[in-house]
Amino acid sequence: MQKGKLTGLRATEKQYVGFATLPNQVHRKSVKKGFDFTLMVAGESGMGKSTLVNSLFLTDLYKDRKLLNAEERINQTVEIIKHTVDIEEKGVKLKLTIVDTPGFGDAVNNNECWKPITDYIDQQFEQYFRDESGLNRKNIQDNRVHCCLYFIPPFGHGLRPVDVEFMKALHEKVNIIPLIAKADCLTPNEIKKLKDRIREEIDKFGIKVYQFPECDSDEDEEFKQLDKELKECTPFAVIGSNTVVEARGQRVRGRLYPWGIVEGKFTNKFLCSVENQSHCDFVKLRNMLIRSHMHDLKDVTCDVHYENYRAQCIQEMTSKLAQDNRMESPIPILPLSTPDVDTEKLIKMKDEELKRMQEMLNKMQQQMHDKEQ
Amino acid sequence: CGDQMSFIRGTDLFGYVGIEAVLDQMRRKTMKSGFEFNIMVVGQSGLGKSTLVNTLFKSKVSRKSCTPNYEEKICKTVKLHSVSHMIEEKGVKMKLTVIDTPGFGDQINNENCWEPIVKYINEQYEKYLREELHVNRKRRIPDSRVHCCIYFLPATGHRLRPIDVEFMKRLGKIVSIVPVIAKADTLTIEERQEFKERIRQDLASNGICIYPQKEYDEDQEEHALNEKIRESIPFAVVGTDKEHQVNGNKVLGRKTKWGIIEVENVAHCEFSHLRDLLVRSHLQDLKEVTHNIHYETYRVRRLNESNVDFSNGTADQSESQL
């Protein structure tokens, strides 16, 4: 036997337990499971919603779409149409659902045209609530809307009444990201003015759009700088394009216009490039949506919007149940509910008051009885 | 509403969207919020439970009963005792809770000594369930559920004892059990192999379900990995916090007159395998099995008990097996 031969000894791992691999263990399971994301787009026809979606996810979802003419659109109500795409990149699977809302704002009378949309969002919450409360929770599908891109036309001077009403109807149900659509018809100055105006009006009307979370103090400076730029840039002014153009040896997504100045010379072609950050905020939007904030959008949907819906739902149900004993609870509510601390205190106070009054009464009765004697 | 489905593979995309960045977002979030892990140790006094846990996590997370200041006598009943520690490694923070069960199997009459343990485990499920059903829920429900129960078998070399069978039969249904052969330095390699073989036979013939459970293997890859683990369970372990010099290196080991048993040497004992299983490869899986299977089983049973009628149309036939 070879004396002193050590097999399998890991001398270098003396102080290393090994649970630092935890994020990797979680990572591996997520890659296997894949992710899902539901994005809603809302705004009038012709704002470039479909084009933007195609540009964001580099696909052509609306290949075979037929555009309706004006007559056909007169009696159109707001529809909800879902497109589902499975995207895979570097082994990571994303099931992307785009919820389109054709017809929104297109009619002559647009009163409450957002109702089909709020109803849709509520329906998804309700479905999730039922699934979550049910017995078999193994494969719950999450169809809740994680984000709503709202397209504001660039032609006006800020928010129109329909914009304000729409956003107010939805801001407590979904993460709203307002966008200035078709920004290629505005000069940089006009864009800045419009953004400032819109931001003011959002504040003025108390609209709660999606807020980017605060940066951690321990993040690096570059990240913090990017984060600051992002926040100062909202609402994003976007341009979308379905065409890829060959320019200076590169393939670029963009729009070719017959006017413009490129590098100081007049030309008869101007390439407005979607991916050029000085032309529009498309890149910022894409990076924010997909590369840095997708997870947070989902978290806010789950932790805030959905929880609000659920709490409201439960409270409505319990008050209905209290009024009508015959009703059965459609979701599990544990029969033993402990009253909260405040209610208990109140009950105790009232009890003591009653006791005191009873004692006083007894005393008075005794006095009266004595007097009669 | 109308549905249109289209399936686009990565090769159809013309460009790079960047969806893998979601993984980074997730990782950043989990690193910030940290992890929780709750491990229970069950076995008679003196089997080295505390020493093993300390060796596993390389810190004094559990107080040994053999230290001079330890005054407690053998308790009359099994009293569960849980201690939590925050440990950190390479920026990953973990709240580790060790639940000790002193008194288990120490009495003359040990009938029903598993009951306080079953009660404790179910109480944690109940706590979680109530939080989940609350109207105003916390963003992160604190998780005190037992993710793993290490059951210590004395190295008798024979078979499972009646108390081992009784305990594991009952608890295998509600928690993930990882049995280990404690103080395995009294067994030779051959004795160890035979002992393990007999234990595995006893486990199978009694229908005892231990971790990793065959039914929960999700795919081929996982099945292959877990089969290898199932073939070497229970791990024969030795624990210590003392270091010795071996060939110029400092190693954790037990020094005897006939040699030094190196705890982390796989030729000597299987401690490393246990650590790799529990901490380095299957920690997340242990938590998921607890959450997705054991907890769900408890929840379904509880909801059925409270006689609430609800049908969401997705309940499947397997519930009738409860």
Side-chain angles (χ1 to χ4, degrees):
Chain A
M1 184 195 99
Q2 226 175 333
K3 202 165 184 204
K5 177 166 175 155
L6 304 169
T7 46
L9 181 65
R10 300 173 220 205
T12 49
E13 296 174 336
K14 208 166 101 78
Q15 288 311 313
Y16 181 56
V17 176
F19 64 85
T21 59
L22 255 178
N24 287 339
Q25 294 178 40
V26 176
H27 178 121
R28 219 175 306 134
K29 288 201 182 262
S30 310
V31 172
K32 267 203 217 171
K33 246 186 8 189
F35 296 90
D36 58 59
F37 191 68
T38 302
L39 178 70
M40 178 182 267
V41 288
E44 289 159 17
S45 294
M47 285 287 111
K49 303 189 293 292
S50 315
T51 310
L52 186 77
V53 168
N54 284 346
S55 305
L56 275 174
F57 296 97
L58 300 180
T59 69
D60 199 353
L61 285 177
Y62 300 88
K63 266 197 283 257
D64 306 313
R65 182 174 65 159
K66 183 171 105 58
L67 290 171
L68 302 173
N69 61 34
E71 266 184 65
E72 286 168 321
R73 279 198 267 166
I74 281 181
N75 291 322
Q76 256 225 319
T77 47
V78 180
E79 279 180 87
I80 305 279
I81 298 189
K82 272 169 41 171
H83 298 264
T84 305
V85 184
D86 278 331
I87 303 180
E88 185 174 335
E89 230 177 45
K90 298 200 179 167
V92 182
K93 301 187 208 40
L94 175 71
K95 173 164 164 254
L96 174 72
T97 304
I98 309 282
V99 180
D100 206 348
T101 56
F104 174 82
D106 283 348
V108 175
N109 179 358
N110 286 310
N111 258 346
E112 300 221 322
C113 59
W114 49 84
K115 196 142 186 323
I117 299 174
T118 52
D119 284 347
Y120 176 82
I121 295 177
D122 282 341
Q123 273 164 28
Q124 307 317 305
F125 281 155
E126 190 190 326
Q127 182 62 49
Y128 192 85
F129 187 28
R130 282 186 183 278
D131 287 348
E132 195 193 33
S133 311
L135 283 179
N136 187 351
R137 310 202 292 181
K138 218 168 180 225
N139 292 314
I140 299 182
Q141 268 225 11
D142 186 5
N143 293 319
R144 297 173 293 183
V145 181
H146 299 125
C147 176
C148 175
L149 297 179
Y150 184 66
F151 289 67
I152 300 170
F155 322 118
H157 297 285
L159 298 179
R160 308 160 299 165
V162 69
D163 299 329
V164 175
E165 290 307 304
F166 176 87
M167 289 199 274
K168 288 192 79 165
L170 265 83
H171 66 172
E172 282 175 346
K173 293 187 192 288
V174 71
N175 295 317
I176 299 183
I177 297 181
L179 302 175
I180 299 175
K182 296 203 160 172
D184 46 348
C185 74
L186 298 171
T187 65
N189 258 345
E190 288 169 343
I191 289 184
K192 182 167 184 312
K193 270 221 229 76
L194 187 58
K195 283 190 185 183
D196 286 341
R197 183 77 186 267
I198 291 178
R199 273 202 293 264
E200 252 177 60
E201 292 180 342
I202 284 178
D203 260 337
K204 182 169 113 188
F205 290 108
I207 299 171
K208 299 188 211 142
V209 298
Y210 172 70
Q211 298 294 331
F212 301 118
E214 286 306 317
C215 243
D216 292 323
S217 51
D218 60 350
E219 296 284 5
D220 56 59
E221 279 311 310
E222 191 190 335
F223 189 85
K224 282 193 198 163
Q225 181 61 26
L226 283 172
D227 192 65
K228 184 158 165 274
E229 280 176 23
L230 214 66
K231 288 184 179 151
E232 287 171 356
C233 193
T234 55
F236 296 128
V238 293
I239 307 170
S241 170
N242 274 337
T243 35
V244 178
V245 179
E246 190 89 40
R248 290 184 227 122
Q250 278 186 312
R251 288 170 63 86
V252 166
R253 273 200 174 237
R255 296 173 61 72
L256 266 179
Y257 286 116
W259 53 77
I261 302 176
V262 177
E263 286 167 16
K265 290 209 203 122
F266 279 97
T267 67
N268 58 2
K269 282 204 211 135
F270 181 37
L271 176 62
C272 168
S273 164
V274 166
E275 304 212 345
N276 186 331
Q277 295 213 49
S278 65
H279 290 184
C280 74
D281 299 327
F282 172 79
V283 172
K284 290 207 174 70
L285 173 67
R286 182 196 56 196
N287 288 348
M288 182 228 96
L289 204 56
I290 301 171
R291 298 186 192 174
S292 56
H293 288 74
M294 186 179 271
H295 203 67
D296 188 63
L297 283 164
K298 293 179 71 171
D299 277 350
V300 174
T301 305
C302 296
D303 296 340
V304 179
H305 300 299
Y306 171 70
E307 288 295 315
N308 283 341
Y309 173 84
R310 179 178 171 275
Q312 237 177 7
C313 220
I314 293 182
Q315 275 166 349
E316 280 171 19
M317 260 194 272
T318 44
S319 63
K320 268 202 215 133
L321 278 178
Q323 293 166 6
D324 185 353
N325 291 330
R326 287 163 298 154
M327 252 189 85
E328 283 240 353
S329 169
I331 55 116
I333 300 178
L334 288 181
L336 326 94
S337 59
T338 46
D340 62 349
V341 183
D342 287 356
T343 321
E344 285 211 59
K345 259 198 232 160
L346 206 71
I347 294 176
K348 200 161 176 213
M349 258 169 52
K350 290 264 150 78
D351 272 354
E352 283 173 280
E353 209 181 303
L354 263 166
K355 220 161 127 197
R356 260 179 284 131
M357 282 175 64
Q358 189 67 43
E359 279 173 61
M360 260 172 59
L361 213 72
N362 289 346
K363 234 185 175 171
M364 278 167 67
Q365 278 184 347
Q366 186 67 38
Q367 282 176 353
M368 274 167 51
H369 181 84
D370 290 347
K371 256 203 180 143
E372 278 168 18
Q373 296 278 323
Chain B
C1 77
D3 274 18
Q4 286 180 38
M5 305 276 272
S6 40
F7 296 93
I8 299 182
R9 300 283 151 238
T11 46
D12 295 349
L13 302 178
F14 21 95
Y16 174 62
V17 180
I19 55 182
E20 74 189 68
V22 190
L23 292 174
D24 280 332
Q25 297 169 38
M26 252 190 69
R27 175 178 282 150
R28 203 177 289 141
K29 182 176 169 236
T30 45
M31 293 277 283
K32 250 187 25 184
S33 47
F35 301 87
E36 293 168 297
F37 192 60
N38 307 321
I39 190 170
M40 180 186 267
V41 287
V42 182
Q44 291 162 307
S45 290
L47 282 183
K49 303 189 291 292
S50 300
T51 308
L52 186 74
V53 173
N54 290 347
T55 314
L56 265 175
F57 293 97
K58 301 226 190 205
S59 24
K60 296 220 171 353
V61 288
S62 193
R63 208 167 47 131
K64 296 185 334 195
S65 56
C66 61
T67 51
N69 295 327
Y70 197 96
E71 280 175 25
E72 283 155 48
K73 308 186 269 274
I74 288 185
C75 342
K76 286 271 186 280
T77 53
V78 178
K79 280 208 170 51
L80 281 90
H81 179 66
S82 93
V83 181
S84 298
H85 293 264
M86 277 304 263
I87 47 182
E88 183 174 333
E89 191 171 82
K90 298 192 181 176
V92 180
K93 300 187 209 33
M94 182 152 85
K95 177 170 171 230
L96 174 72
T97 303
V98 181
I99 302 131
D100 202 354
T101 55
F104 176 85
D106 286 336
Q107 311 306 322
I108 296 174
N109 180 357
N110 286 307
E111 262 175 15
N112 301 324
C113 64
W114 47 81
E115 275 174 10
I117 298 175
V118 172
K119 182 157 164 268
Y120 177 86
I121 293 175
N122 285 334
E123 269 168 11
Q124 309 318 305
Y125 290 148
E126 181 72 22
K127 229 194 263 179
Y128 195 89
L129 181 64
R130 279 180 186 271
E131 279 295 339
E132 219 187 18
L133 286 177
H134 211 267
V135 178
N136 291 314
R137 305 195 283 201
K138 302 199 178 92
R139 232 173 231 226
R140 262 190 83 202
I141 299 179
D143 193 0
S144 61
R145 299 170 296 184
V146 179
H147 299 129
C148 174
C149 173
I150 306 186
Y151 186 72
F152 286 68
L153 299 164
T156 59
H158 299 179
R159 325 191 65 100
L160 287 182
R161 305 164 299 161
I163 190 178
D164 300 328
V165 173
E166 288 303 307
F167 179 85
M168 288 198 278
K169 238 183 16 199
R170 286 179 173 70
L171 263 78
K173 297 196 184 119
I174 61 174
V175 72
S176 294
I177 300 186
V178 176
V180 297
I181 300 173
K183 298 203 166 175
D185 43 347
T186 65
L187 298 170
T188 64
I189 304 286
E190 295 80 23
E191 287 168 347
R192 181 206 293 179
Q193 283 308 111
E194 286 167 8
F195 187 29
K196 288 216 263 187
E197 190 48 55
R198 283 193 283 265
I199 291 178
R200 283 196 290 267
Q201 280 170 19
D202 282 347
L203 289 173
S205 57
N206 282 292
I208 296 174
C209 204
I210 56 168
Y211 182 84
Q213 300 92 333
K214 250 196 236 258
E215 309 86 61
Y216 311 139
D217 287 342
E218 291 188 348
D219 52 45
Q220 278 293 56
E221 193 192 330
E222 213 175 272
H223 183 75
L225 189 70
N226 290 346
E227 269 303 301
K228 276 210 273 187
I229 296 171
R230 284 188 278 265
E231 281 160 19
S232 38
I233 278 190
F235 292 125
V237 296
V238 172
T240 183
D241 46 15
K242 296 203 172 44
E243 285 176 344
H244 302 275
Q245 286 278 7
V246 176
N247 268 16
N249 292 320
K250 276 194 142 196
V251 298
L252 275 177
R254 288 174 59 74
K255 189 164 182 199
T256 65
K257 289 250 173 355
W258 47 92
I260 296 182
I261 302 138
E262 295 156 41
V263 168
E264 288 178 314
N265 186 335
V266 297
H268 292 192
C269 81
E270 295 174 322
F271 170 80
S272 298
H273 295 304
L274 177 70
R275 182 201 46 211
D276 288 350
L277 174 74
L278 284 185
V279 180
R280 296 187 187 179
S281 60
H282 284 68
L283 201 154
Q284 183 61 22
D285 190 59
L286 279 162
K287 293 179 68 172
E288 293 199 357
V289 168
T290 304
H291 180 68
N292 295 332
I293 293 162
H294 297 302
Y295 170 69
E296 286 297 310
T297 307
Y298 178 83
R299 178 178 174 273
V300 172
R301 181 162 57 88
R302 245 339 230 119
L303 295 182
N304 280 331
E305 277 170 14
S306 54
N307 287 327
V308 176
D309 178 29
F310 42 80
S311 44
N312 61 352
T314 56
D316 68 9
Q317 301 308 314
S318 62
E319 285 154 35
S320 54
Q321 293 166 18
L322 280 170

